[in-house]
Amino acid sequence: MPAGIRLCDLSELAEGPLGFDPFNEGQDSVLVILRDGNVYAYTDVCPHYGNTTLPWKKNAYLNNRGNRIVCAAHGALFTIENGLCVSGPCKGESLTPVPVIIENNTVWLVTSRAGENEL
Ligand code: FES
């Protein structure tokens, strides 16, 4: 078992992005997206303003076209593949990537690795 927190089965991401509260903080703090066979994970915080979370409702992380991560507050759009804001008030800034690994079709949040700080 990896040094981390189990988030979900890989198959659960097939229907769309999911938000998780891996540290039991009372709200989702990590979003995970499966796209073209790759898994991407970011902190659920918009770089535009304060600690604003992205979705207007649970798991609503994508724009209508389904090709960008969207922040519901002011409409910033981020690429799925690298979290870069390509439109909106924080254009040029990025979501913060979160380390995840896939093992036995399970998505794990990596919480510690040698030489790195804990999340
Ligand atoms: S807080 Fe996300 S676009 Fe403003």
Side-chain angles (χ1 to χ4, degrees), residues 31-48:
L31 68 120
V32 183
I33 299 177
L34 175 66
R35 182 54 53 104
D36 297 330
N38 297 308
V39 174
Y40 304 94
Y42 301 99
T43 56
D44 188 346
V45 175
C46 182
H48 175 221

Side-chain angles (χ1 to χ4, degrees), residues 53-80:
T53 56
L54 297 164
W56 64 276
K57 68 172 185 175
K58 175 80 176 163
N59 298 331
Y61 290 107
L62 296 181
N63 60 347
N64 286 340
R65 292 180 60 194
N67 66 339
R68 298 276 189 256
I69 298 166
V70 63
C71 176
H74 309 109
L77 296 174
F78 304 86
T79 60
I80 292 172

Side-chain angles (χ1 to χ4, degrees), residues 10-55:
L10 194 54
S11 61
E12 294 176 64
L13 295 172
E15 298 297 314
L18 295 175
F20 297 94
D21 179 13
F23 304 109
N24 296 314
E25 298 169 306
Q27 67 177 25
D28 291 343
S29 60
V30 173
L31 68 120
V32 183
I33 299 177
L34 175 66
R35 182 54 53 104
D36 297 330
N38 297 308
V39 174
Y40 304 94
Y42 301 99
T43 56
D44 188 346
V45 175
C46 182
H48 175 221
Y49 185 76
N51 289 320
T52 306
T53 56
L54 297 164

